[in-house]
Amino acid sequence: DAGRAVCRYLATKQGARPVKWAVAGRSKAKLETLVSSLGGSSAPSVLLADACDASSLLRIAERATLVFSAVGPYSRLGEPMVKACLVARTHWADITGEVFWVGEMEAKHGEAAAAAGVTLTSLCGYDSVPCELSLHVARKALKLGARHSELLDAEAVT
């Protein structure tokens, strides 16, 4: 599960300047179980919120500089938190692969985010990695002077 993987990373990969972070969700018991399983030197706070409760989402956004969401499906659960982030002027990042939802959020909230100085960053993970890696390989090949026929293999991967 992506959310757990992010939590494990944050708990164990703190550098010289540790990041203050929290986990959020509906079930206090599940969140506390997650936190106790993490180990590492940076235990997160536990915050309770429900994707269908706008006031609980706003409380989360108001306490954060950045909300990183692994909620999914974003088309059903993502927009309320995006709205809360805009109200609180909190940056947003997610791991969605729901391209149509990302376009919808940009169309609906892009101007407001820019005006508020809020960054809305989507496609930060799993679903996007194969395409990003393919583009990286193609760019590298172009820099090395690859011929068109050599790039067809990279194009087929995407």
Side-chain angles (χ1 to χ4, degrees):
D1 162 73
R4 283 178 182 40
V6 170
C7 290
R8 280 192 302 274
Y9 181 86
L10 288 173
T12 59
K13 303 293 185 198
Q14 296 292 324
R17 293 178 41 194
V19 174
K20 184 178 175 184
W21 63 291
V23 294
R26 294 174 300 194
S27 170
K28 184 176 182 180
K30 287 181 182 179
L31 293 169
E32 287 174 344
T33 299
L34 170 64
V35 169
S36 68
S37 75
L38 293 175
S41 60
S42 176
S45 302
V46 172
L47 306 174
L48 296 178
D50 187 312
C52 299
D53 177 6
S55 63
S56 70
L57 299 178
L58 184 57
R59 283 192 302 274
I60 300 281
E62 289 173 338
R63 294 184 63 178
T65 301
L66 167 74
V67 168
F68 181 83
S69 176
V71 69
Y74 291 88
S75 58
R76 189 167 60 89
L77 301 170
E79 187 173 14
M81 191 73 226
V82 170
K83 288 179 177 179
C85 285
L86 290 172
V87 170
R89 294 179 180 251
T90 299
H91 301 291
W92 161 272
D94 65 58
I95 60 165
T96 187
E98 299 171 48
V99 176
F100 293 107
W101 181 80
V102 173
E104 183 180 328
M105 291 304 98
E106 173 61 28
K108 284 183 171 180
H109 304 296
E111 286 183 26
V118 172
T119 302
L120 302 178
T121 307
S122 290
L123 305 166
C124 296
Y126 296 110
D127 292 348
S128 306
V129 171
C131 182
E132 293 292 331
L133 288 174
S134 298
L135 289 171
H136 173 74
V137 168
R139 285 183 65 198
K140 192 172 181 180
L142 286 169
K143 285 181 181 178
L144 296 174
R147 293 184 310 273
H148 182 271
S149 61
E150 293 169 322
L151 293 177
L152 291 178
D153 290 333
E155 185 178 320
V157 174
T158 63

